[in-house]
Amino acid sequence: MRDLADQLGRLVSGGADAVLGSVPSALTSDATEARGLRGYGDAVVFPTTTEEVAAVTAWCYERGVPITPRGGGSGYAGGAVPNGGVVLCLERMRRVRSLEPLLWRAEVEAGVRTVDVQRLARENGLYFPPDPGAAEQSQIGGNVATNAGGPHAFKYGVTGAWVTGVEAVVPPGHVVRVGGPVRKDVAGYDLCSLLVGSEGTLGIITAVMLRFIPAIEARYPVLGFYPDARAGAAAVEACLASGVVPAALEYLDEEAIEIVRQAFPAAMPVEPCFAVIAEADGSKREASDARRVLAEALSDGALAVEEPAGIREIEALWRWREGVGFAADAVYGGKVSEDIGVPVDRLADAIEGTREIGRRRGLATCSWGHAGDGNLHATFLFSREDADARTRALAAAEDLFELTEQLGGTISGEHGVGLVKAGQLHRRWNASAVELHRKLKHLFDPANLLNPGKKAP
Ligand SMILES: Cc1cc2nc3c(=O)[nH]c(=O)nc-3n(C[C@H](O)[C@H](O)[C@H](O)COP(=O)(O)OP(=O)(O)OC[C@H]3O[C@@H](n4cnc5c(N)ncnc54)[C@H](O)[C@@H]3O)c2cc1C
């Protein structure tokens, strides 16, 4: 596709390597690779300014060429897996446009990595709470496009809660700026929230306005270990009833614990167990008081309760928790992991149901996730060489969505719909609401060229 690349090359600065005439394999997949998902495309473009994004979009729109916006490629829904056309990579748009620490706010371009936004806040005495697990790889534009969560979303909310404005290019190539540093604004529809979580199907996010809060002085996690999921889920509810709002409230089921047991940085019971992690935060005194209450709430029915002390132990604990997904990848090489969300009082049903589906389909399972949010990473494991097991894992995911519907939950709590759950919106919304999604998509993108085949029907 040299011709396509030559023409795109005239629209962007950045030299010969700002456009590629073929799509390298690293850009035809995302974190769904472990389930065997791979797309195809005709060219890649790396714009460095919003005007270049607008020019590329206009050029593609005039010629009927599909566009796949791509951030860090860490998505678990196949949203950045191209369906032909142009892969538009935001990684060269990484300027911090403004930073006002005393007003707790910044405007950054879409390609700034998540970890760099977190660092920017930290180095200025501030805190940016969204903490999705692939922070070294993901970009803030991708986080906003997926409305990413993370462990601390329980107390602080998901990425969208920290976005006050968005700059985006919408078809057929117009730049819009919605929201901004105004704290209250009801003039018009909430277009900013509409673009948040739109997974690159309504617009290409080029910059975001973010809010921060003053840095948190202390974080004290507490761990409870339980004989099974029922006892663990009861402990999660006891934490909620305690009156303290934990900053994070996480769990690992018995199978997930076995996968990462060897790497656990402290002591844990030798028998199979289910773990709950609750973190208290605030000033040193607040966090210490809250830890005491949470430890008491977690102790009922527990095999053991641990309170890691010292910054090193606490950091090691969170690194261990972040490593669960990678460790699950390594068991057999393949996995289908779904991020369902259920009402928190149905958590044990969802965990046990995942296990039961795996048993029926002849697959090993494990699950872990954001217990307080009722958000599970329900995972079916298989060997990549075993095509039959992969088919069974995909069927198991369908069973899981059915179970989720029965439990009054959602097919995606944080990764989005993307390609892997396209066509499943009816499981979450009634026919009229699905139709509204279709109309919205058509309004923004009448030729269906922006990330076609993803999210909306
Ligand atoms: C180890 C691991 C841990 C993870 N942990 C979490 C977690 O805790 N919570 C969570 O929510 N997710 C998690 N994820 C999933 C993933 O990191 C998030 O979905 C993340 O927000 C994706 O960002 P990205 O920049 O990699 O986006 P990509 O994967 O590149 O893209 C994701 C979607 O956003 C669109 N997109 C990307 N950039 C833009 C843009 N600038 N404008 C418009 N659309 C865009 C793409 O088209 C695609 O639809 C994890 C993934 C891994 C691999």
Side-chain angles (χ1 to χ4, degrees):
M1 279 285 167
R2 206 50 262 165
D3 190 38
L4 177 62
D6 286 346
Q7 295 193 48
L8 287 170
R10 290 187 207 118
L11 305 173
V12 292
S13 55
D17 67 345
V19 177
L20 305 177
S22 63
V23 184
S25 66
L27 299 181
T28 57
S29 61
D30 64 4
T32 52
E33 209 185 350
R35 63 197 286 163
L37 201 65
R38 195 165 275 286
Y40 67 99
D42 303 309
V44 186
V45 59
F46 297 91
T48 47
T49 65
T50 302
E51 291 69 32
E52 290 180 4
V53 175
V56 171
T57 304
W59 188 92
C60 289
Y61 224 76
E62 251 172 50
R63 289 159 185 80
V65 177
I67 305 166
T68 305
R70 185 178 180 93
S74 71
Y76 268 136
V81 173
N83 259 338
V86 170
V87 178
L88 194 150
C89 290
L90 278 302
E91 67 183 46
R92 294 193 187 174
M93 290 197 61
R94 46 173 186 247
R95 275 190 320 129
V96 175
R97 288 184 179 173
S98 67
L99 169 68
E100 294 163 285
L102 299 182
L103 295 173
W104 310 349
R105 69 190 189 203
E107 179 173 341
V108 301
E109 289 184 343
V112 176
R113 291 182 313 155
T114 313
V115 74
D116 293 325
V117 175
Q118 293 165 340
R119 187 177 301 126
L120 184 71
R122 197 169 51 246
E123 288 174 355
N124 287 280
L126 298 167
Y127 179 39
F128 180 66
D131 56 350
E136 296 275 346
Q137 185 186 343
S138 65
Q139 298 169 7
I140 191 69
N143 296 158
V144 173
T146 54
N147 201 6
H152 291 86
F154 180 68
K155 179 171 180 179
Y156 295 101
V158 292
T159 301
W162 300 88
V163 175
T164 60
V166 167
E167 178 190 271
V169 171
V170 295
H174 300 149
V175 180
V176 291
R177 277 177 76 85
V178 291
V182 177
R183 280 182 73 92
K184 296 168 90 178
D185 186 359
V186 288
Y189 297 120
D190 191 351
L191 296 179
C192 180
S193 294
L194 190 58
L195 286 166
V196 172
S198 61
E199 298 182 49
T201 62
L202 302 182
I204 301 162
I205 296 163
T206 48
V208 288
M209 290 149 254
L210 300 172
R211 69 184 183 92
F212 303 134
I213 49 173
I216 305 286
E217 190 184 5
R219 309 170 182 288
Y220 299 139
V222 189
L223 276 104
F225 296 98
Y226 305 88
D228 54 37
R230 288 274 150 206
V236 168
E237 289 190 33
C239 282
L240 299 182
S242 73
V244 162
V245 183
L249 190 49
E250 300 279 297
Y251 87 92
L252 287 82
D253 80 353
E254 298 91 308
E255 289 83 0
I257 284 285
E258 287 316 310
I259 291 171
V260 290
R261 177 181 280 277
Q262 294 305 327
F264 187 62
M268 76 161 69
V270 289
E271 60 264 57
C273 55
F274 180 104
V276 176
I277 308 172
E279 186 179 78
D281 75 351
S283 68
K284 278 186 180 154
R285 167 173 289 200
E286 284 164 352
S288 162
D289 289 349
R291 172 171 57 182
R292 199 171 321 114
V293 176
L294 290 174
E296 206 179 302
L298 287 178
S299 63
D300 206 16
L303 299 168
V305 174
E306 299 291 334
E307 296 180 30
I311 190 85
R312 280 221 188 92
E313 287 86 341
I314 293 170
E315 280 174 7
L317 169 71
W318 282 115
R319 265 200 309 279
W320 172 78
R321 160 64 189 88
E322 277 168 18
V324 184
F326 295 115
D329 278 342
V331 180
Y332 298 116
K335 76 172 199 270
V336 167
S337 191
E338 299 297 352
D339 62 317
I340 58 168
V342 295
V344 69
D345 51 317
R346 307 309 300 270
L347 185 65
D349 295 329
I351 295 168
E352 289 177 350
T354 302
R355 199 173 282 150
E356 178 50 35
I357 290 169
R359 210 172 286 137
R360 265 201 328 263
R361 296 279 180 187
L363 295 163
T365 63
C366 60
S367 80
W368 68 93
H370 315 302
D373 287 326
N375 184 194
L376 292 75
H377 298 305
T379 304
F380 304 98
L381 304 169
F382 58 90
S383 156
R384 283 207 207 189
E385 283 73 54
D386 189 341
D388 178 59
R390 181 172 168 275
T391 307
R392 279 184 280 123
L394 292 171
E398 292 292 322
D399 298 347
L400 184 72
F401 296 148
E402 238 170 82
L403 171 71
T404 307
E405 255 184 293
Q406 285 160 20
L407 297 176
T410 175
I411 54 169
S412 179
E414 56 178 21
H415 298 156
V417 171
L419 203 52
V420 302
K421 284 178 238 165
Q424 303 271 7
L425 284 193
H426 65 277
R427 294 192 184 277
R428 177 63 186 136
W429 306 108
N430 73 10
S432 304
V434 172
E435 179 59 9
L436 213 47
H437 277 76
R438 202 190 57 73
K439 284 183 180 158
L440 265 173
K441 168 68 175 168
H442 185 74
L443 184 69
F444 274 78
D445 179 18
N448 190 27
L449 292 174
L450 206 47
N451 225 356
K454 319 280 174 63
K455 191 150 183 123

